[in-house]
Amino acid sequence: MDQDGATRRQALGLGLGALAAAGAVEALSGGHAFAAVGDMAGLAWANNAMRWAQVAFTEEDPPRYDPNFWFDLFKKTHIEAVTLSAGGDIAFYPTKVPLHKRARDLGDRDMLGEMIKGCRALQMSVVCRVDPHAMSEEAYATHPEWAACTADGKPRRHWAAADMWVTCQNGGFYFDFMPAVLKEITQLYGPEGFFGNRWAGSGMCWCATCRTKFRAATGLELPTGNDPQEPRRAAYILWDRQMRSQQFKLWNDTVAAVKKDCFFSPNGGLNDPNTVVHPLVAVDRQGRSGTTPLWMMGKYAKQVRAYMQNLPVYGLFNVGIEDTNRWKDSVQRGPELEAWAHAGIAQGFRPWYCKFNARIFDPRWVAPVTRIFEWHHAHDKYMRNTANLAKVAILNSYQSGTFTAGGVAPEAGDGIRAAARVADAQNGYYQALVEARIPFEMADDRQMEPQHISRYRVLVLPDVAALSDAQCRQLRAFVMAGGRLVATGETSLYDEVGKKRANFGLADLFGCDYVKTESGLKNSYLTPRHPHPLVRGLENAPRIIAATQQLTVRPHDTQRQPLTLVPAYPDLPMERVFPDQEDTSIPMVFCREVGRGRVVYFPMDIDRTFWEVLHEDHLLLLKNAVLWAMDEPQPMTVTGPGLVDISYWRQKNSLAAHLVNMNNPMFMKGPYREMLPAGPYTVSLALPDGAKVGGVKLLESGTVAKTKMVSGRLVVEVPRIRLHEVVAVELA
Ligand SMILES: [Zn+2]
């Protein structure tokens, strides 16, 4: 961690030229240049800060809150860095910046200063939270042009605070006023950095400033639709990315000019991790709402680590109740808080708790949060990961989510959240790999150079529709050198900006050519053809369900494949529900040896269908595909009951195998009401070359583990997992 963090460079080469609609699309989407402008050695504190807290103040806090409550809690929870509300929409210190509205009940106090002083006394690092998304009535009266506008040009009142206005992310509020605020805070308090909440605006703005700037950059009018294939929308996506980079650079330079190594960290990171490397990224995933599997916090960790590499990433969770409607002043149940935080910790997040309102209305969150952080602190050395040992990765295709049909551009400023098209296929394969207990990571389509992907043996491409010619070449080289691909659906059928190709970009690897795509199919089935490792476990199943979207393809050869199609037929009236053709030789999977590697291609959305139906036959196919492609033992295997999310890490002098118990009726939709211990499990671990095992402990149970060596692997008994057990292996 320290090594990697210290040697990586902060890159600020933004290439902000004039933007022409078509040219910009091409020029901006292929660039991977890093421009080194500073050494990150001065940011060692960020590498070392394992536990964070955040207190977001309210206007009524200053005379009513108890600072000592917080200092005591920071001590008990071993917090090393804290994020405190400073300013932007509302100031919590006696600001002198014109129109920077002081908190209603601030009076003559300096709440920010008091808190910083106390935190400094505890040797904590301090990051100031700024929020630029709203402004006061007075600011609006003086600068009506700072307001964001709707498509018909009307200024936007704040949707929740009737006396405030929504600000435009491309105008004076962001580019003149906020730099003045950031400069003043840095001068007065010298924080280590800034954390920007809602830093990228509140959706698209159609004010005069935006219209003028967009026209100057692209020669186009602002779009009103959301179709990424519409040229104005495509240009807007890229222009918005440019504007956020400009904003980031301005804010970052502003604070760094006052204090060396001070930085601005946008919540969730920038959309393009290649233009800016952040010293740390906090990902705001406050809690579960709706149908959300518990592993989702771990998925966020994997997605952001995919481009942050070994730099620190923080999983920010809120102690309140998070739903579409938010109840900020009540609190989430303890078991859910623990489960959500630990699901992220197991996959490499450092924990960061967030409390809105400095006053405590309901203290029931304090005990469970303290338990999470005390445990994390007690086992600190096993949380300082230097490498993840998984050999399988799912490719996160940001580009497919942004540019292909069915994809809707993700919100600006959210560097990892994918559009539904990408997320559904991805979540299907994710769930399958969790159920299969195959340790895996995520890779990022913005970083597919060999130094990023060659550590994996298998790359899974769940409907990764948009791939550039260059990316296809990278994948081809990966396979020729011995890498393995598992791909589904329309993978590689579009280029990097969503233009449909006549054929798959990876047709040579798949072993077939594209003919057409059909969606919404009913009563479509597959016939398993034995023997083949892909259909192992389906010996008693003469027919299994296919997917709802299928691709007609033209095979390159007549090689027998282990799945063939029973074509779709009507689902009504019942008298008509029978197949026209019971048996065909149409292959619905292509399992091939290519170069020194292997490729499995499913011409259907089997992963997305699995996410919808969760059928076990699909689970077997998705799992077998990865096992056949891998063709060597997984570094970590687990036997035992039910659902466990696993990961396998290396630290400086130890190994840590994580198991999160997801056997709970509230696994798919929170909140967890109670912990339901499960076990026993047997964990088998491959050891790094030359590694000698010292002691082996179970961190949750607090016991010495029962172990044996079997064929060079370390086999560990885990009698019972309450929530999150860690097999900690000391290396001698
Ligand atoms: Zn605007």
Side-chain angles (χ1 to χ4, degrees):
M1 165 77 52
D2 292 344
Q3 247 178 5
D4 255 43
T7 53
R8 280 191 79 182
R9 306 280 163 164
Q10 192 167 16
L12 294 167
L14 298 173
L16 297 168
L19 211 66
V25 171
E26 212 172 305
L28 287 173
S29 48
H32 286 277
F34 283 77
V37 296
D39 198 323
M40 293 177 75
L43 296 164
W45 70 269
N47 272 334
N48 289 322
M50 295 296 287
R51 287 160 295 279
W52 284 61
Q54 174 177 342
V55 192
F57 308 153
T58 72
E59 293 200 73
E60 60 147 37
D61 282 339
R64 296 177 184 86
Y65 86 114
D66 173 11
N68 289 319
F69 167 88
W70 291 107
F71 303 141
D72 289 346
L73 186 66
F74 294 156
K75 257 188 282 184
K76 273 201 311 196
T77 47
H78 306 277
I79 295 300
E80 289 155 322
V82 68
T83 299
L84 302 168
S85 298
D89 51 355
I90 306 282
F92 288 91
Y93 67 96
T95 176
K96 294 197 170 66
V97 174
L99 302 172
H100 194 201
K101 191 176 180 347
R102 296 187 194 190
R104 190 194 72 190
D105 298 344
L106 186 66
D108 295 328
R109 282 180 77 156
D110 179 0
M111 183 173 176
L112 176 64
E114 290 161 17
M115 286 292 289
I116 289 180
K117 196 172 163 209
C119 291
R120 293 280 189 221
L122 295 170
Q123 316 297 324
M124 291 163 60
S125 300
V126 174
V127 164
C128 284
R129 176 186 184 275
V130 291
D131 187 329
H133 89 279
M135 65 176 165
S136 66
E137 196 70 65
E138 192 194 351
Y140 175 70
T142 314
H143 287 287
E145 77 284 6
W146 285 356
C149 292
T150 49
D152 57 5
K154 292 211 171 66
R156 288 171 65 190
R157 274 273 179 201
H158 196 277
W159 57 92
D163 63 330
M164 297 184 87
W165 296 83
V166 178
T167 50
C168 164
Q169 63 269 38
N170 299 316
F173 194 86
Y174 276 53
F175 285 82
D176 301 320
F177 172 82
M178 281 304 296
V181 168
L182 290 162
K183 186 175 172 187
E184 181 184 65
I185 295 169
T186 316
Q187 285 169 336
L188 289 174
Y189 305 103
E192 272 65 47
F194 286 83
F195 173 72
N197 189 58
R198 289 187 173 268
W199 64 277
S202 307
M204 202 172 151
C205 172
W206 286 266
C207 76
T209 307
C210 287
R211 279 188 274 124
T212 308
K213 285 190 174 176
F214 185 68
R215 205 182 293 126
T218 66
L220 299 171
E221 294 304 312
L222 283 169
T224 48
N226 218 3
D227 174 6
Q229 287 311 300
E230 201 268 306
R232 291 183 305 159
R233 180 72 202 174
Y236 178 81
I237 292 169
L238 295 167
W239 177 71
D240 179 53
R241 199 175 287 177
Q242 291 263 2
M243 290 305 294
R244 301 288 68 78
S245 292
Q246 273 189 35
Q247 175 197 341
F248 170 84
K249 184 169 171 11
L250 175 64
W251 291 18
N252 210 53
D253 289 353
T254 300
V255 300
V258 180
K259 185 186 177 192
K260 186 175 178 293
D261 290 326
C262 189
F263 63 90
F264 170 71
S265 178
N267 187 351
L270 272 184
N271 295 63
D272 188 348
N274 291 314
T275 52
V276 176
V277 180
H278 305 290
L280 61 91
V281 164
V283 183
D284 183 348
R285 294 294 183 265
Q286 300 185 10
R288 290 202 282 173
S289 65
T291 305
T292 305
L294 185 68
W295 49 247
M296 194 60 84
M297 190 59 154
K299 184 183 173 194
Y300 295 138
K302 291 183 188 189
Q303 282 177 311
V304 70
R305 285 195 297 97
Y307 70 81
M308 286 295 282
Q309 313 298 338
N310 276 337
L311 292 172
V313 297
Y314 298 88
L316 189 168
F317 67 94
N318 164 21
V319 305
I321 293 172
E322 193 63 26
D323 205 299
T324 317
N325 299 301
R326 309 199 282 183
W327 288 274
K328 294 287 193 197
D329 286 341
S330 191
V331 297
Q332 186 50 273
R333 299 270 304 171
E336 177 69 13
L337 288 174
E338 287 190 61
W340 190 238
H342 278 273
I345 291 168
Q347 303 301 340
F349 263 151
R350 299 174 179 193
W352 168 321
Y353 63 83
C354 178
K355 169 73 173 71
F356 294 90
N357 201 320
R359 296 165 68 201
I360 307 300
F361 299 101
D362 179 346
R364 288 178 293 173
W365 60 276
V366 175
V369 165
T370 303
R371 199 154 49 232
I372 298 164
F373 281 71
E374 278 179 341
W375 182 87
H376 196 268
H377 175 254
H379 305 299
D380 186 279
K381 69 177 251 195
Y382 300 109
M383 304 297 147
R384 293 179 181 269
N385 299 315
T386 55
N388 185 288
L389 301 178
K391 303 297 283 179
V392 175
I394 293 179
L395 184 71
N396 185 26
S397 181
Y398 190 71
Q399 174 174 286
S400 298
T402 306
F403 288 111
T404 61
V408 171
E411 286 171 45
D414 194 328
I416 60 168
R417 207 192 298 264
R421 171 190 179 132
V422 174
D424 287 348
Q426 219 174 55
N427 287 339
Y429 229 121
Y430 201 105
Q431 169 75 18
L433 293 183
V434 171
E435 287 200 57
R437 297 166 184 171
I438 293 173
F440 68 101
E441 285 278 80
M442 293 191 78
D444 192 295
D445 69 344
R446 296 163 293 191
Q447 297 186 338
M448 285 174 52
E449 293 75 16
Q451 70 264 32
H452 298 303
I453 60 171
S454 61
R455 53 173 282 220
Y456 300 115
R457 187 162 168 92
V458 180
L459 278 182
V460 177
L461 279 51
D463 193 26
V464 174
L467 285 169
S468 69
D469 289 346
Q471 288 170 318
C472 289
R473 278 196 298 276
Q474 286 167 333
L475 290 168
R476 198 169 289 118
F478 172 77
V479 171
M480 293 306 159
R484 284 101 206 282
L485 295 187
V486 176
T488 68
E490 293 192 324
T491 293
S492 79
L493 190 57
Y494 300 80
D495 72 8
E496 68 276 24
V497 289
K499 294 272 177 297
K500 193 171 175 180
R501 295 189 170 103
N503 197 2
F504 302 114
L506 297 175
D508 56 328
L509 300 187
F510 294 171
C512 59
D513 294 323
Y514 176 77
V515 178
K516 66 173 180 182
T517 305
E518 286 176 284
S519 298
L521 296 172
K522 298 174 194 306
N523 273 315
S524 168
Y525 296 87
L526 301 168
T527 308
R529 306 282 178 181
H530 302 281
H532 192 287
L534 188 97
V535 287
R536 193 172 291 151
L538 293 169
E539 287 77 6
N540 298 325
R543 183 184 293 184
I544 65 172
I545 65 169
T548 65
Q549 185 193 67
Q550 285 169 18
L551 283 74
T552 304
V553 296
R554 202 176 298 112
H556 291 173
D557 56 38
T558 54
Q559 189 189 327
R560 186 179 173 279
Q561 294 294 347
L563 280 179
T564 56
L565 182 69
V566 179
Y569 47 91
D571 67 335
L572 275 175
M574 285 304 160
E575 293 80 356
R576 295 279 167 79
V577 183
F578 60 85
D580 299 323
Q581 267 182 296
E582 292 197 20
D583 196 32
T584 72
S585 58
I586 301 166
M588 289 307 286
V589 71
F590 292 81
C591 298
R592 308 175 70 234
E593 314 234 1
V594 183
R596 293 168 55 206
R598 289 183 171 190
V599 177
V600 181
Y601 171 62
F602 292 99
M604 56 182 159
D605 66 343
I606 181 172
D607 35 17
R608 197 211 58 78
T609 303
F610 180 61
W611 188 231
E612 184 181 329
V613 182
L614 290 174
H615 199 281
E616 204 179 341
D617 293 342
H618 284 176
L619 169 61
L620 262 175
L621 292 174
L622 295 169
K623 170 187 168 178
N624 286 346
V626 171
L627 294 180
W628 180 79
M630 177 96 167
D631 192 33
E632 68 176 34
Q634 294 293 333
M636 172 180 182
T637 62
V638 178
T639 55
L643 193 66
V644 283
D645 190 23
I646 64 170
S647 63
Y648 189 20
W649 296 92
R650 176 162 195 159
Q651 301 82 41
K652 203 169 165 208
N653 295 310
S654 54
L655 302 166
H658 292 245
L659 299 101
V660 181
N661 171 12
M662 302 210 168
N663 295 294
N664 195 294
M666 313 313 271
F667 153 73
M668 216 29 124
K669 185 182 191 323
Y672 266 37
R673 306 226 188 283
E674 58 181 328
M675 295 303 172
L676 298 171
Y681 294 93
T682 303
V683 179
S684 163
L685 301 173
L687 299 171
D689 287 342
K692 279 208 191 96
V693 173
V696 182
K697 286 185 293 190
L698 301 179
L699 300 185
E700 185 187 59
S701 323
T703 56
V704 173
K706 230 190 238 175
T707 65
K708 59 185 172 188
M709 293 298 296
V710 179
S711 315
R713 290 173 73 101
L714 178 69
V715 176
V716 184
E717 297 306 324
V718 176
R720 175 181 180 274
I721 308 172
R722 176 183 169 266
L723 171 65
H724 178 194
E725 185 56 281
V726 180
V727 178
V729 181
E730 216 59 54
L731 294 176

